[in-house]
Amino acid sequence: MSRANTRLQVMWNRLLAVVEEQGQALIRAAFSPIVRECGDISAGIFDVQGRMLAQAVTGTPGHINTMAEAVKTLRDRFELRDMKPGDIFLTNDPWIASGHLNDFLLMMPVFHRGAVIGFTSCTSHLVDLGGQGMGPEGSDIFDEGLLIPPCKLMDQGEINALLLEIVKANSREPIANEGDIYALIACCEAGAARLAGMMEEFGIDALDELANYIIDTSYRGTVDAISELPKGTWQSVLKVDGYEEEIDLHATLTITEAQVLLDFTGTSGLSNKGINVPLNYATAYSVFALRCIIGPDIPNNAGSLAPFLVTAPSDCILNAQAPAPVAMRHTLGQMTPDLVYGCLSQAVPDAVPAEGASCMYDLPLRHVAEAALSGGKQFALELVFNGGTGARPALDGLSATAFPSGVWGSQIETTEAVAPVLFSRRELKQDSGGAGKFRGGLGQHIELRSSIEEDFMVFLSVERVLNPARGRHGGQAGAAGRIRIGHDGEDLPSKGEVRVKAGKTLIFETPGGGGFGPPQERCVEHVQRDLDEGLVSLKAAREIYGANL
């Protein structure tokens, strides 16, 4: 490596440290538990053209990879010559930002020696933005809350007070929303200050040379990784629960010498409910899944993302057009990695894991409507719980772990401190991981109820209740998800509004991941370890592995 490139590499490493500090500033300052406890964010640094140079490690692909394109859109929407120090731009348009209204995306121009040299950006989830709330029941985007087109949130350091008041007036959690918006502002400002300070330290006036080095190096590395893959076209179909009916997701994956092309032609049409997915969000998770296998050691930026192209027919459920309802777009959007892996496993069978729970078990809760009129306790809260990941080609799956979202599970103590709910049980669900040479990760069994003498509402939009995670190469399927009220209650569908009466217990079980390889090839020591740790029952182990245990 030449001396010049060594210097650029050092600056690249510093940039990665800067953007990580930027992301942590958002988490530390946030009000909502889903941000400060679960890390449902993104943070990034961009050059003056709007190309993503670095992203914080903490964050979700649905926020990070949509942000990578959203900044280009905002950069083109506002004139560079009109930007001033202290300006910050905002939107929550699902087709620009992160796929639904609750995600706010900010972009801040960074000034150094009097000129715009780049941008910082971030995204996080606001817990409530009016409408019917975080559920799938909306019939269009207008049912789902307040849509804010690209606009100026900060004008030379002064907050747009009217916009802030409008956001607060349209929320059941106005204080949390205000606090989270200021946390987003702090995130942008922290990144901008550190970036300008880094440039001052290294004595550079512009990011152009560094940006080109980062993007070109990452692009070449990704193309090299693609060139080592088999060339051809593969197809897969993934059946998912859907809402009104089960849905077929179709994918065609084509690998050329320097590009990976993914097309969703054949996928079912739009739903009348809010489980539709804008293509920006479906693309974010699909490309993330591919990048986990293809050049995973290459940092995520505009260069490493460039060789991947995703297309879909207009108005299929993975390419919803406005004004389709999209509030719960993550329900199907987070299933796209398993869909993509169904193709990729045919090309590189020893590199791709089995299917997992995939869609996080996102449980928005809030007070019943009459509580606001009768003086009852009012709250809005979004809980996140995860199932098991699919077994890997040489390792067991991970239990109660978020893949592909990366969002950490909600903490019991925090939840009980901010909302009138009480957890009575939370544990791994025995026997829920699919059997195989390598076992799928386990799901969870969770029970909660109201901690006061009042009902509460749950807005369900989860997957893997009717279609559990399939094993790969002879591995068995993981356990399906399950939701009911009371141990003797009937199973509830995976989507819809549910009223939980005071004194009743909501029981939900997250799905397990599929197994990898034939179960009879599993190491006896690993079976015994599963028994010792209570992950597998003796009855199930004997049925799967033989009676000699």
Side-chain angles (χ1 to χ4, degrees):
M1 182 180 290
S2 67
R3 182 174 181 179
N5 283 353
T6 299
R7 186 169 185 270
L8 290 170
Q9 187 65 48
V10 169
M11 286 193 284
W12 188 357
N13 291 341
R14 174 67 69 84
L15 203 61
L16 294 171
V18 166
V19 78
E20 192 60 33
E21 181 177 347
Q22 178 187 341
Q24 291 302 314
L26 173 52
I27 290 174
R28 289 195 298 269
F31 276 45
S32 297
I34 195 170
V35 179
R36 71 172 191 263
E37 301 289 341
C38 302
D40 194 18
I41 72 156
S42 70
I45 290 176
F46 298 73
D47 72 358
V48 74
Q49 299 177 49
R51 300 180 299 177
M52 187 169 75
L53 304 182
Q55 57 134 112
V57 173
T58 301
T60 75
H63 286 161
I64 293 164
N65 288 350
T66 53
M67 178 183 68
E69 293 300 317
V71 169
K72 296 177 187 177
T73 302
L74 291 181
R75 161 71 176 79
D76 293 339
R77 186 71 61 94
F78 299 98
E79 292 289 342
L80 200 65
R81 64 175 178 269
D82 295 333
M83 296 179 184
K84 300 291 190 299
D87 286 354
I88 297 180
F89 303 91
L90 172 147
T91 187
N92 72 335
D93 185 322
W95 289 271
I96 298 175
S98 183
H100 70 179
L101 296 176
N102 288 70
D103 290 338
F104 275 31
L105 181 138
L106 274 60
M107 181 192 79
M108 181 178 192
V110 180
F111 284 78
H112 179 59
R113 298 178 182 173
V116 178
I117 52 82
F119 301 90
T120 60
S121 182
C122 56
T123 311
S124 77
H125 183 95
L126 272 66
V127 69
D128 184 87
L129 209 67
Q132 294 193 16
M134 268 293 293
E137 296 303 318
S139 59
D140 57 29
I141 192 68
F142 307 108
D143 277 343
E144 296 182 332
L146 179 69
L147 191 154
I148 304 172
C151 63
K152 190 178 284 189
L153 173 64
M154 297 280 287
D155 188 352
Q156 299 183 67
E158 292 294 324
I159 189 78
N160 185 334
L162 177 59
L163 176 60
L164 190 61
E165 288 303 313
I166 290 172
V167 171
K168 291 167 63 179
N170 282 274
S171 174
R172 301 171 184 87
E173 289 286 350
I175 295 174
N177 276 4
E178 182 177 16
D180 286 340
I181 289 172
Y182 278 114
L184 285 161
I185 292 171
C187 176
C188 282
E189 291 177 339
R194 291 292 183 267
L195 177 58
M198 184 199 89
M199 295 178 67
E200 189 70 38
E201 179 182 343
F202 284 94
I204 58 175
D205 294 328
L207 287 175
D208 297 357
E209 184 183 12
L210 176 59
N212 290 334
Y213 174 76
I214 290 172
I215 291 170
D216 292 346
T217 302
S218 301
Y219 177 78
R220 290 196 307 270
T222 305
V223 168
D224 287 345
I226 292 171
S227 69
E228 297 175 359
L229 297 172
K231 307 303 179 287
T233 297
W234 298 269
Q235 296 181 327
S236 72
V237 179
L238 182 67
K239 184 176 288 293
V240 296
D241 298 356
Y243 195 142
E244 306 98 321
E245 58 187 4
E246 293 181 67
I247 291 169
D248 287 330
L249 305 180
H250 288 247
T252 299
L253 183 74
T254 299
I255 301 176
T256 68
E257 192 62 35
Q259 198 172 37
V260 177
L261 310 174
L262 178 65
D263 182 68
F264 294 131
T265 295
T267 292
S268 299
L270 292 182
S271 169
N272 292 321
K273 302 292 187 176
I275 60 172
N276 302 294
V277 190
L279 185 58
N280 61 344
Y281 191 84
T283 298
Y285 272 101
S286 300
V287 172
F288 167 72
L290 292 168
R291 293 222 54 238
C292 285
I293 306 297
I294 305 170
D297 56 334
I298 301 170
N300 199 49
N301 54 55
S304 54
L305 292 171
F308 300 91
L309 177 65
V310 180
T311 57
S314 177
D315 282 336
C316 81
I317 202 166
L318 296 179
N319 187 13
Q321 305 294 309
V326 293
M328 307 305 278
R329 87 293 189 232
H330 58 277
T331 307
L332 297 187
Q334 291 175 9
M335 301 301 293
T336 59
D338 278 343
L339 173 65
V340 172
Y341 284 162
C343 297
L344 195 59
S345 66
Q346 300 170 56
V348 283
D350 295 330
V352 178
E355 293 179 3
S358 297
C359 171
M360 61 186 182
Y361 264 46
D362 185 49
L363 293 175
L365 312 178
R366 78 159 190 249
H367 58 270
V368 293
E370 59 266 29
L373 303 176
S374 62
K377 175 68 174 178
Q378 299 181 53
F379 72 100
L381 180 70
E382 192 166 346
L383 302 179
V384 177
F385 295 102
N386 300 299
T389 71
R392 295 161 285 180
L395 291 168
D396 291 344
L398 302 171
S399 299
T401 298
F403 180 85
S405 78
V407 174
W408 309 316
S410 295
Q411 301 300 305
I412 300 302
E413 297 83 358
T414 303
T415 301
E416 293 179 342
V418 299
V421 295
L422 182 67
F423 288 82
S424 55
R425 186 178 176 189
R426 182 185 180 189
E427 62 189 21
L428 293 178
K429 182 185 176 186
Q430 191 179 60
D431 294 331
S432 58
K437 179 178 181 180
F438 298 101
R439 173 187 44 73
L442 276 62
Q444 301 180 69
H445 178 105
I446 301 171
E447 300 181 8
L448 67 91
R449 58 180 172 81
S450 174
S451 62
I452 57 179
E453 292 302 315
E454 293 181 13
D455 303 351
F456 65 89
M457 297 297 300
V458 181
F459 299 89
L460 296 174
S461 188
V462 298
E463 274 291 336
R464 297 292 193 199
V465 171
L466 300 178
N467 296 278
R470 295 174 294 188
R472 208 176 298 284
H473 305 310
Q476 295 183 6
R482 187 183 182 193
I483 309 160
R484 60 196 189 278
I485 297 176
H487 291 279
D488 298 326
E490 294 184 0
D491 286 1
L492 297 172
S494 61
K495 297 172 184 71
E497 295 182 3
V498 177
R499 183 173 182 137
V500 181
K501 296 283 189 180
K504 296 293 184 178
T505 299
L506 174 68
I507 303 172
F508 58 103
E509 296 172 346
T510 63
F516 191 102
Q520 58 267 28
E521 295 182 8
R522 185 163 179 79
C523 174
V524 174
E525 288 79 7
H526 291 174
V527 176
Q528 188 60 53
R529 181 195 62 195
D530 288 345
L531 287 168
D532 293 342
E533 295 179 358
L535 305 180
V536 176
S537 67
L538 182 59
K539 177 183 177 182
R542 284 177 171 167
E543 290 176 352
I544 297 168
Y545 302 109
N548 295 326
L549 293 171

